[in-house]
Amino acid sequence: MTSPFPGPAHSGLSVVIPCFNEVENVEPSYREITNELGHYSLELFYVDDGSIDGTLDKIRALAATDPRVRYLSFTRNFGFEAAFSAGYRYASKPWILHVDADQQFPAAEAEKLVAVAEQGNDAVFGVRTNRQDPRLRRWGTAAFHFLGRRVLRIEIPPGATAFRLVRAELARKIVDLRLGTPYFLATVPRLTSRYACVQVAHRARERGESKVGFGFLASHAIELFVGFTRRLTTAASATALFAAGIAVLAGGAAAFGLLGAGVTATLLFALLAVLLLVASLTVRYLVVVGAGQPRPRQFYVREANVVVDAEDRLFTPADPVGPRLIDVQLGKGVSA
């Protein structure tokens, strides 16, 4: 498989590092990435997702000493999807390597992704071997992939994680879709068939606490299951019709005295349970539809040392006492 576009080994990498309250991991992640991947034409792009623990101060200090460090800082916490989407949108290199600040994926493992990308792939996803996460999270991920891929037949790269290498043009096209239920892993196969997965090492988090809890994972899974397949809504419709048929037959049988009071009550409660399940899926589907309507941007930037589009800023650069914004097009710092 060949590609007319250059691979990451020669065209360069933007390493996007989303951060939310990762003050202890900013400097270690910087050292590891520059030590292991410094031989590439490199950009380190930190996205501060509204941290309140000094994460931004650490990033500013790195940017002041290393011109390869770029950053954005949000006006509030917008979430993981918004954080990496912002990094993907403003990264300057032809390829984007996504590395989380917690360093659970060793930066050196990116060489495996690069090697597979050089074979002509547009995206390469890392798959954890010997995963070093709590058992509940491992089980939850396994169930998620089983339901998504096997049951609902959603095309998701098998075992894929956020540790990935993607052509920047592809990543930006996905971000600019502004889907009501953005889900990067499931969107890539809708745009290209040239993607691959490769096994990579994984290690336990050494500093700080994970921001990914059960609630986040469950919500993310529901958005995928409802937003990327019609199988659930089709099954819900069929179930509702079947329940309606049973209700008609049961009502007729009860009217002619063919069913006892106990059996009738049992049927009523069973049908009620079915209808409530269908109603819950319908409501969730309507939430997805509503999410596709006009709404605020996915994120708003308060501070950056890159040029930020006007629509992604909450405040217009004007007030000298406001948040700092470095406009590289002017070649000098201006206040925002």
Side-chain angles (χ1 to χ4, degrees):
M1 182 168 59
T2 59
S3 171
F5 306 104
H10 302 290
S11 58
L13 297 174
S14 286
V15 184
V16 172
I17 311 120
C19 300
F20 176 56
N21 292 343
E22 295 285 1
V23 65
E24 297 175 323
N25 287 313
V26 172
E27 291 179 353
S29 68
Y30 167 82
R31 288 194 298 269
E32 181 178 30
I33 292 168
T34 52
N35 287 340
E36 299 293 344
L37 305 176
H39 54 287
Y40 292 104
S41 174
L42 201 64
E43 173 187 60
L44 288 86
F45 204 117
Y46 285 89
V47 182
D48 171 39
D49 187 17
S51 299
I52 57 174
D53 67 342
T55 294
L56 180 56
D57 292 333
K58 295 288 187 180
I59 296 173
R60 284 195 195 112
L62 292 176
T65 58
D66 188 341
R68 295 175 298 179
V69 176
R70 306 292 181 88
Y71 72 90
L72 297 173
S73 181
F74 290 166
T75 57
R76 57 174 287 267
N77 176 239
F78 285 96
F80 178 67
E81 196 90 28
F84 73 69
S85 295
Y88 293 2
R89 173 172 292 167
Y90 289 105
S92 66
K93 300 294 184 180
W95 285 83
I96 293 172
L97 174 67
H98 182 131
V99 178
D100 289 336
D102 59 20
Q103 295 182 274
Q104 288 196 255
F105 290 100
E109 293 294 278
E111 298 289 3
K112 298 178 181 178
L113 307 185
V114 170
V116 176
E118 290 290 343
Q119 297 171 11
N121 288 293
D122 300 318
V124 184
F125 300 91
V127 178
R128 287 170 286 226
T129 59
N130 190 29
R131 183 176 179 180
Q132 300 298 307
D133 279 327
R135 185 174 300 176
L136 184 61
R137 279 192 62 182
R138 298 200 303 270
W139 288 351
T141 301
F144 161 78
H145 278 280
F146 175 78
L147 289 172
R149 298 185 66 249
R150 303 290 185 181
V151 178
L152 299 177
R153 309 283 180 83
I154 302 172
E155 187 175 359
I156 311 171
T161 65
F163 184 58
R164 55 203 178 212
L165 179 63
V166 187
R167 290 189 190 277
E169 284 187 277
L170 172 61
R172 280 192 280 272
K173 279 185 169 56
I174 293 176
V175 171
D176 289 340
L177 288 175
R178 297 197 70 198
L179 298 174
T181 53
Y183 204 100
F184 194 86
L185 292 180
T187 308
V188 167
R190 292 187 168 192
L191 273 65
T192 179
S193 61
R194 291 192 174 188
Y195 65 87
C197 296
V198 60
Q199 291 189 338
V200 295
H202 190 251
R203 59 194 178 194
R205 174 186 271 265
E206 296 181 2
R207 295 167 298 275
E209 297 181 358
S210 174
K211 315 306 183 298
V212 179
F214 178 78
F216 170 84
L217 294 174
S219 174
H220 219 42
I222 291 172
E223 288 184 353
L224 173 69
F225 297 161
V226 174
F228 283 81
T229 179
R230 295 183 179 178
R231 288 178 178 270
L232 275 179
T233 52
T234 300
S237 299
T239 302
L241 288 173
F242 179 75
I246 295 296
V248 170
L249 293 175
F256 287 101
L258 300 178
L259 295 178
V263 175
T264 302
T266 300
L267 278 173
L268 287 174
F269 280 113
L271 290 171
L272 179 61
V274 170
L275 292 176
L276 288 174
L277 176 61
V278 171
S280 69
L281 286 173
T282 303
V283 169
R284 187 63 197 178
Y285 182 73
L286 291 175
V287 169
V288 170
V289 173
Q293 304 308 306
R295 60 197 188 278
R297 304 285 292 178
Q298 190 180 19
F299 57 84
Y300 288 96
V301 176
R302 182 183 298 277
E303 178 181 331
N305 68 344
V306 297
V307 177
V308 177
D309 295 338
E311 60 266 30
D312 287 334
R313 297 174 181 171
L314 187 60
F315 305 107
T316 302
D319 185 356
V321 299
R324 184 170 61 95
L325 177 70
I326 298 176
D327 192 332
V328 296
Q329 287 182 331
L330 296 178
K332 61 181 181 180
V334 298
S335 296

